[in-house]
């Protein structure tokens, strides 16, 4: 008899609360600051951008936050998601380690993003909002929010980084199928977009620029709020449903992770799987190593500075303390579009600063190689972003082999790659290369950090 490979919960096991790590932090995270005064901002400062329910979640110190029943109802479409034991990958690696992965690609848009898109749409609808504006890089967030907007009868306007807009027509078609509007950013629709185009008509855009455009639209229209797909505290909290389910499933497997691995763009899928386990450890539970894997071509956690910075290029957002490459940083055109943000979630940055997690940067070629091995053994083709987690988990498994240890590894397979097969085509044709930055390139973008908050 082979060991069990799939651990499934039933619908009634969908968690009834999200987990808020702010309740268990040994040191509170530094507060967001007003860019003009350098003073901490209050809930009212965020009111033009977000509905009050989400603002209260953003600042909450309570450990367990109720998931509204209508949100759980929608979650039932694809949750609980499966957790697998990767027997065939283990065998291919000839490792004594046990590898488990939580698979978030079963959602309607193919990634973990709907875990937060659905509650964000729900709370905005409840507050009487008509329209959501947002940005998207590779298009996963734009399609997820468009899906959620369709469910809660909200208009969704998506500013999509121009280079992806041109390279990824299927994601745009997906947004439009759900009823969303998708605009290439920088655009002529906003002052922020026009300012960029005036300086550089050929700008291919960046997440920082697209955020400026979406924030501007929300700030200027009473019926419109802004939605962000990562980085913010409430987004990370919504994603903890991943880790809470995984805890139950590891229990079913009769196992507990020694190492948890996830990829980090803005930090939400990482926090989603890791924070419930980290919280348990902080409350005196089992020890666990937690490893964040980021692309060497956008290395905010490993090479950025832990400093106050803007979330966007046009400097419209509050200042948040995070590992940042500088809001002016424009990453090169590597393929894991979802990992191309200049900053890292303040809560992920904070736990890294406290030494509670580790971070590693990997090159895209070794990640695609891992993605292909994963496809050939476990049959799921990972999103380019998720290949970083796969590679990270494989590295841990190979270390176990070297050290002769049978550790338990858990990683988050945050999405499938069905809309990103061009990246695999390019990989097979040898068109991908590794990109890194020398210190002077990074120093240039970091020179622009706002002085009001950084002394
Ligand atoms: C958006 C996205 C990411 C990056 O965002 P995080 O907030 O770091 O999770 C990673 N993987 C996939 C599949 C995504 O869609």
């Amino acid at each position: 008899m082979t060991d069990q490979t799939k651990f499934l919960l039933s619908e009634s096991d969908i968690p009834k609360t999200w987990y808020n790590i702010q309740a268990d932090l040994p040191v509170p995270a530094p507060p967001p600051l007003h860019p003009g005064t350098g003073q901490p901002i209050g809930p009212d400062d965020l009111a033009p951008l977000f509905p009050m329910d989400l603002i209260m979640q953003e600042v909450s110190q309570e450990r367990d936050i109720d998931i509204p029943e209508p949100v759980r109802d929608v979650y039932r479409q694809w949750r609980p998601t499966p957790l697998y034991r990767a027997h065939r990958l283990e065998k291919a690696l000839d490792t004594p380690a046990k590898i488990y992965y939580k698979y978030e690609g079963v959602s309607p848009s193919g990634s973990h993003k709907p875990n937060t898109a659905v509650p964000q749409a729900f709370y905005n609808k409840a507050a009487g909002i008509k329209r959501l504006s947002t940005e998207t890089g590779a298009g996963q967030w734009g399609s997820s929010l468009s899906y959620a907007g369709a469910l809660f009868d909200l208009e969704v306007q998506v500013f999509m980084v121009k280079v992806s807009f041109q390279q990824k027509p299927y994601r745009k078609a997906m947004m439009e199928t759900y009823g969303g509007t998708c605009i290439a950013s920088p655009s002529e629709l906003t002052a922020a977009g026009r300012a960029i185009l005036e300086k550089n008509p050929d700008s291919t855009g960046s997440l920082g620029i697209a955020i400026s455009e979406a924030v501007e639209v929300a700030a200027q229209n009473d019926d419109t709020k802004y939605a962000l797909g990562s980085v913010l505290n409430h987004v990370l909290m919504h994603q903890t449903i991943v880790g809470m389910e995984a805890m139950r499933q590891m229990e079913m497997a009769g196992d507990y992770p020694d190492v948890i691995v996830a990829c980090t763009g803005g930090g939400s899928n990482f926090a989603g799987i890791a924070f419930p386990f980290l919280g348990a450890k902080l409350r005196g539970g089992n020890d666990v190593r937690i490893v964040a894997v980021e692309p060497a071509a956008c290395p905010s956690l490993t090479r950025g500075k832990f400093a106050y910075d803007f979330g966007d290029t046009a400097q419209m957002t509050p200042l948040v303390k995070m590992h940042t490459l500088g809001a002016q940083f424009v990453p090169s055109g590597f393929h894991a579009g979802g990992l191309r943000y200049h900053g890292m979630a303040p809560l992920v940055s904070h736990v890294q600063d406290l030494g509670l997690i580790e971070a590693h940067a990997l090159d895209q070629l070794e990640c695609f190689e891992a993605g292909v091995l994963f496809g050939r053994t476990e049959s799921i083709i990972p999103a380019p972003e998720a290949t970083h987690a796969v590679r990270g988990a494989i590295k841990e498994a190979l270390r176990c082999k070297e050290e002769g240890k049978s550790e338990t590894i858990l990683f988050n397979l945050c999405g499938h790659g069905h809309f990103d097969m061009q990246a695999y085509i390019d990989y097979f044709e040898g068109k991908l290369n590794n990109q890194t930055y020398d210190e002077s390139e990074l120093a240039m973008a970091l020179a622009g950090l706002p002085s009001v908050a950084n002394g």
Side-chain angles (χ1 to χ4, degrees):
M1 204 178 82
T2 55
D3 292 336
Q4 199 178 351
T5 58
K6 188 175 179 187
F7 301 91
L8 282 180
L9 298 168
S10 66
E11 281 183 15
S12 58
D13 295 324
I14 295 176
K16 295 195 165 60
T17 55
W18 291 296
Y19 168 64
N20 179 12
I21 197 164
Q22 296 198 72
D24 290 318
L25 290 174
V27 183
L33 303 181
H34 192 282
T37 63
Q39 295 303 307
I41 58 165
D44 289 345
D45 293 306
L46 294 171
L49 295 186
F50 304 104
M52 206 37 85
D53 285 333
L54 290 175
I55 295 172
M56 295 326 282
Q57 290 183 358
E58 186 68 16
V59 300
S60 174
Q61 303 291 317
E62 264 174 68
R63 182 175 293 127
D64 303 306
I65 307 281
D66 287 337
I67 304 177
E69 207 40 51
V71 172
R72 285 185 82 238
D73 254 349
V74 177
Y75 278 166
R76 282 190 186 92
Q77 267 191 342
W78 77 96
R79 306 209 69 85
T81 61
L83 181 124
Y84 295 96
R85 168 97 184 259
H87 287 294
R88 290 187 297 269
L89 176 62
E90 289 169 17
K91 209 158 160 211
L93 298 172
D94 189 25
T95 176
K98 291 179 275 182
I99 307 175
Y100 295 84
Y101 58 97
K102 179 76 166 158
Y103 183 44
E104 289 294 307
V106 293
S107 80
S109 65
S111 77
H112 62 289
K113 296 268 185 356
N115 296 331
T116 184
V118 170
Q120 289 194 49
F122 168 79
Y123 288 117
N124 275 285
K125 184 68 182 181
I129 295 307
K130 298 275 180 289
R131 182 171 66 156
L132 293 175
S133 66
T134 195
E135 74 294 322
T136 196
Q140 278 137 334
W141 172 240
S143 48
S144 300
L145 194 67
S146 297
Y147 147 76
L151 289 176
F152 290 97
D153 193 23
L154 288 162
E155 274 179 58
V156 176
Q157 188 177 44
V158 184
F159 290 90
M160 185 168 184
V161 177
K162 192 176 280 170
V163 59
S164 300
F165 183 92
Q166 290 160 345
Q167 285 173 355
K168 307 197 170 193
Y170 294 151
R171 283 282 172 191
K172 171 172 180 270
M174 212 170 156
M175 292 176 224
E176 290 173 345
T177 303
Y178 287 131
T181 313
C182 180
I183 302 142
S185 166
S187 79
E188 295 284 349
L189 285 187
T190 65
R194 288 190 296 270
I196 298 281
L197 288 172
E198 204 165 293
K199 270 193 271 174
N200 178 10
D202 299 325
S203 168
T204 53
S206 71
L207 270 176
I209 294 168
I211 293 175
S212 297
E213 293 206 85
V215 166
E216 183 181 323
V217 169
Q220 291 181 352
N221 294 280
D222 285 344
D223 65 352
T224 306
K225 297 277 187 215
Y226 170 64
L228 188 59
S230 185
V231 178
L232 297 176
N233 301 347
H234 67 267
V235 177
L236 272 52
M237 190 186 75
H238 296 157
Q239 293 295 351
T240 58
I241 193 160
V242 176
M244 293 175 70
E245 285 179 8
M247 277 183 129
R248 301 276 304 271
Q249 288 161 309
M250 290 304 297
E251 223 173 274
M252 286 170 77
D255 221 334
Y256 199 88
D258 297 297
V259 194
I260 297 175
V261 181
C263 68
T264 48
S268 73
N269 90 82
F270 168 82
I273 194 155
F275 278 6
F277 289 92
L278 178 56
K281 171 174 159 175
L282 290 171
R283 295 192 302 277
N286 287 1
D287 194 16
V288 54
R289 269 179 66 226
I290 298 175
V291 178
V293 184
E294 64 181 9
C298 195
S300 56
L301 267 178
T302 52
R303 297 181 71 192
K305 203 167 159 182
F306 187 43
Y308 274 100
D309 197 9
F310 290 98
D312 71 321
T313 307
Q315 312 198 330
M316 292 158 70
T317 66
L319 296 171
V320 291
K321 192 162 187 191
M322 59 182 177
H323 283 85
T324 180
L325 296 164
Q328 308 306 319
F329 181 78
V330 178
S332 61
F334 66 96
H335 266 291
L339 306 182
R340 301 184 56 198
Y341 186 57
H342 69 270
M344 181 51 58
L347 282 175
V348 173
S349 297
H350 183 59
V351 294
Q352 152 97 339
D353 192 55
L354 293 176
L356 297 172
I357 65 167
E358 300 166 31
H360 301 287
L362 299 180
D363 290 315
Q364 67 172 350
L365 286 177
E366 58 179 327
C367 291
F368 274 102
E369 184 190 25
V372 170
L373 175 63
F374 193 80
R376 289 177 188 176
T377 50
E378 295 297 316
S379 314
I380 299 171
I381 299 174
E385 294 83 2
T387 62
H388 291 71
V390 175
R391 183 83 225 176
I394 289 176
K395 284 183 93 148
E396 293 295 333
L398 293 176
R399 174 189 55 77
C400 288
K401 180 176 171 179
E402 230 173 76
E403 297 173 356
K405 287 185 181 156
S406 62
E407 289 180 21
T408 297
I409 300 163
L410 167 66
F411 77 92
N412 198 8
L413 189 65
C414 51
H416 66 64
H418 299 177
F419 292 95
D420 301 288
M421 294 314 293
Q422 187 61 46
Y424 280 87
I425 293 174
D426 291 351
Y427 171 69
F428 290 129
E429 291 181 351
K431 289 184 185 159
L432 297 188
N433 43 35
N434 289 332
Q435 285 137 339
T436 48
Y437 303 98
D438 59 37
E439 286 306 322
S440 65
E441 285 170 284
L442 293 183
M444 226 160 55
L446 282 170
L449 288 180
S451 55
V452 62
N454 292 309

